[in-house]
Amino acid sequence: MKPKAITVTLGDGSQKEIAVSGIRFIQIVNGPAAPEGGEQVGFQSKIFEAGKVEPTYARESVRDLRSNDCQLVYVGGGKYAVRGNIMRLEPISDAQKKMFAEQANASDTSRFKTRVVLTKDLGSFWATKTIRELNERGVRFFDIGDGAAVHGMNLKKIAPVTNEDRDRISSKYNMDASGFQSQLTLQGEDRPKLSRMSVADFIDQGLNLVDIGEGDNVVLENVKFFGPFSDEDRQRLANFKEGIKAERFVTKFTMANGNGTVLSTIGVDELKTALQAVNIGYDRYVPAANIAQDKVVAFTRDDRSSLSDAGYDVQRAWKSSVVLINGMALSPATPDQIKQRCEKALGATGAATVPEAPPEMDMA
């Protein structure tokens, strides 16, 4: 797939493409502004990127830049962070504020409430909204213990910590691991993060978890589709990862929001029933609740052109574009066939309605 990017208009009228994955945050420009010595005016936002001291000034507003590919979370002080680039949120202690004030010779750090930790080499920055205030605005950050929180869409997998896991952690790191209850695999992190919250605690917070076998769970709203994990897939996995028991995996989940894939030990047929999933073609099954039925439309020539530029495989005989609550997929079935399959999967209980859309994140 083509990397997601935003296109901004510079002061001289030229345009620049900025990779979404490299954005630290976007800030509102209050009135005409420009780099020192410039004559450019009319800027509405400035974009701070990884590895760059000076921001890029853009004529577009934050609302103009916001899209499904660039979902923005308001964190206070006129700053917006890209949802997918937020690894986690942490509260800022009084001691940290005092240390920062002394190091930066800052007179007032009291307004800062939250440290926004970003993925990979993006670093972190301080924000003025608390985690609770963000959630009151409709954003879904979940408590993971010790005051930190992660966005539900950034959760790839949750699994309980077993006694064997605790013994191994205690031995390897010479620490007391008795309090750890679960391990979280997050977007942008290679190693699972230990949490004192149990799987039940996450369910109590409102996470809709799906059991995929061996104690592993994924968030239902983050499932794009799933299908069989073939013998060839298992052989490739065994060759790639020495010592893994690849034969136990029978299903592969393709997750939305940049969360990659997750393997399951539960068969496709059992998962189809449990998730009320429908076949959209080529052995891909989507939870019916994740399909926006009123937005399932015929695949057109214009779609072929635009989606090809976006990196989609448009060479197959697609008949419909299937809009999901977490993205989109193409299908060789007609829109009517997709809708009929959704209604059948959800049953005649009145549940076959358009699912609730993700919460609005661009709120000043």
Side-chain angles (χ1 to χ4, degrees):
M1 295 292 291
K2 183 180 178 181
K4 297 176 181 178
I6 59 173
T7 301
V8 301
T9 305
L10 306 180
D12 60 3
S14 65
Q15 292 190 318
K16 176 183 178 181
E17 194 171 81
I18 299 176
V20 172
S21 61
I23 297 174
R24 299 189 68 243
F25 60 87
I26 300 175
Q27 189 166 10
I28 296 172
V29 172
N30 294 317
E36 186 176 350
E39 297 179 355
Q40 304 156 342
V41 295
F43 295 112
Q44 298 189 70
S45 62
K46 51 184 177 180
I47 299 99
F48 291 81
E49 301 172 69
K52 297 183 180 180
V53 176
E54 295 296 329
T56 296
Y57 284 79
R59 292 183 176 181
E60 289 79 9
S61 68
V62 169
R63 186 168 295 277
D64 293 332
L65 298 175
R66 167 181 159 267
S67 68
N68 285 336
D69 288 342
C70 185
Q71 299 178 14
L72 299 176
V73 177
Y74 183 65
V75 295
K79 293 181 179 179
Y80 292 76
V82 177
R83 193 278 309 157
N85 292 352
I86 300 174
M87 180 90 70
R88 64 183 180 276
L89 303 178
E90 299 174 346
I92 302 174
S93 67
D94 290 338
Q96 288 173 318
K97 293 179 184 179
K98 182 179 179 182
M99 183 181 300
F100 177 79
E102 293 173 349
Q103 291 176 345
N105 195 25
S107 58
D108 182 18
T109 59
S110 62
R111 68 185 187 280
F112 295 114
K113 306 290 175 46
T114 305
R115 179 172 176 248
V116 183
V117 182
L118 304 172
T119 56
K120 298 181 180 178
D121 59 347
L122 296 182
S124 64
F125 65 92
W126 285 14
T128 60
K129 294 291 182 183
T130 65
I131 297 170
R132 175 176 290 184
E133 287 173 332
L134 288 171
N135 281 342
E136 286 173 351
R137 290 173 169 267
V139 190
R140 300 183 67 211
F141 285 100
F142 292 88
D143 180 13
I144 61 173
D146 298 323
V150 300
H151 196 282
M153 295 170 74
N154 287 13
L155 279 167
K156 183 175 181 180
K157 186 170 66 175
I158 302 178
V161 175
T162 65
N163 288 332
E164 182 181 348
D165 293 330
R166 295 186 185 94
D167 290 342
R168 185 173 62 253
I169 294 167
S170 297
S171 175
K172 185 175 181 178
Y173 298 102
N174 191 28
M175 62 180 293
D176 180 10
S178 61
F180 295 123
Q181 299 296 316
S182 62
Q183 49 186 335
L184 319 176
T185 304
L186 307 176
Q187 182 188 56
E189 285 190 336
D190 296 327
R191 295 182 178 180
K193 180 179 179 62
L194 294 169
S195 172
R196 301 183 189 279
M197 311 284 290
S198 68
V199 172
D201 290 332
F202 286 106
I203 294 174
D204 287 343
Q205 291 186 70
L207 268 180
N208 193 356
L209 296 182
V210 176
D211 179 4
I212 62 170
E214 296 188 350
D216 290 341
N217 298 270
V218 296
V219 180
L220 177 63
E221 291 81 3
N222 292 349
V223 175
K224 192 167 186 180
F225 52 79
F226 61 90
F229 193 62
S230 67
D231 290 338
E232 292 79 5
D233 292 329
R234 282 186 281 273
Q235 186 60 55
R236 282 195 296 268
L237 178 62
N239 293 339
F240 175 74
K241 197 167 185 179
E242 185 178 352
I244 192 170
K245 298 178 180 178
E247 66 277 2
R248 73 186 194 275
F249 297 116
V250 293
T251 305
K252 177 176 69 175
F253 279 79
T254 297
M255 307 300 292
N257 311 313
N259 282 312
T261 60
V262 177
L263 302 181
S264 170
T265 57
I266 299 178
V268 169
D269 288 341
E270 186 176 344
L271 288 168
K272 280 169 51 182
T273 301
L275 275 66
Q276 296 178 303
V278 301
N279 186 354
I280 64 168
Y282 300 113
D283 285 328
R284 296 170 302 153
Y285 299 86
V286 180
N290 287 2
I291 297 176
Q293 293 186 49
D294 64 334
K295 296 181 181 179
V296 178
V297 297
F299 185 71
T300 67
R301 184 176 299 177
D302 289 341
D303 292 331
R304 184 179 301 278
S305 176
S306 61
L307 293 176
S308 177
D309 291 340
Y312 281 83
D313 175 10
V314 296
Q315 300 308 312
R316 290 179 171 178
W318 304 121
K319 294 181 180 178
S320 61
S321 298
V322 184
V323 175
L324 312 175
I325 64 172
N326 54 33
M328 71 162 296
L330 302 178
S331 173
T334 67
D336 284 342
Q337 288 174 326
I338 296 294
K339 294 174 185 179
Q340 289 168 5
R341 293 171 189 178
C342 285
E343 291 168 359
K344 182 178 180 181
L346 292 168
T349 61
T353 57
V354 178
E356 182 179 353
E360 173 66 67
M361 295 183 183
D362 182 11
M363 294 172 289

